[in-house]
Amino acid sequence: MAAQGAQSPISFKAMACSAGVLLVTWAAIKLLDNYFELTLLADTTGWLLLFWDWLALETPMPNWSLLMIIAILIGTLSVAIYYTRIKDGTHGELHEIERKIYTKNNPQFPQLTDNQTLLMEALAYHANFRKIANLNSVCKLVSLSTLEVEVGLKQLQAKRLVRQNVTRGTFGATTFELTLAGKDYALERLELT
């Protein structure tokens, strides 16, 4: 007699479920075969039997072992490709982080003060939306006094990041725009789209 509380390894529930699955599968196949012309099932069974016969052939190297070798090679290749892609992704991220640290420690652009950075952002904003940047529009955008903006723009001109355009005549105006170096700086440091 079994000890109390101990269950047998095969329970009645497991046997009933497996028998139910087999019964439903058999009934579905019979119903489909009666109401639909299922030649595919017979063809599949035939193909599987031919494949089984081919696997069981007696040759110097059994066919099933040849298939196992091919499966192992494909599996190994898949794992190698998978880990190579993972390593490339991590390596790419690491390379990007190293590049950012290098450019921060070895700047190719001059260091700017906070006001100069604000002015560069304002001029980049104007360039991005194809607006003309004059002294008044820049002052409104950065909320600095006219004197601070003029001094900052002159310093940026000395660093060759900003160019001043002066037009003469009745409707003469002074406008400011980024030079190529200024555009590079804006793209690199200000991360504009």
Side-chain angles (χ1 to χ4, degrees), residues 30 57 72 125 131:
K30 286 297 178 186
L57 280 177
I72 289 170
Y125 171 81
K131 293 183 176 182

Side-chain angles (χ1 to χ4, degrees), residues 93-143:
E93 291 173 8
L94 182 62
H95 179 69
E96 186 66 25
I97 292 169
E98 286 176 346
R99 188 188 65 76
K100 284 183 180 179
I101 291 172
Y102 176 79
T103 55
K104 194 149 193 103
N105 291 337
N106 303 308
Q108 60 185 12
F109 300 111
Q111 294 294 327
L112 301 180
T113 63
D114 291 339
N115 285 349
Q116 291 171 348
T117 305
L118 275 174
L119 292 172
M120 286 295 292
E121 287 175 356
L123 292 173
Y125 171 81
H126 280 86
N128 197 23
F129 291 106
R130 302 192 193 292
K131 293 183 176 182
I132 296 173
N134 59 23
L135 196 60
N136 290 333
S137 66
V138 174
C139 287
K140 288 178 187 174
L141 201 57
V142 295
S143 300

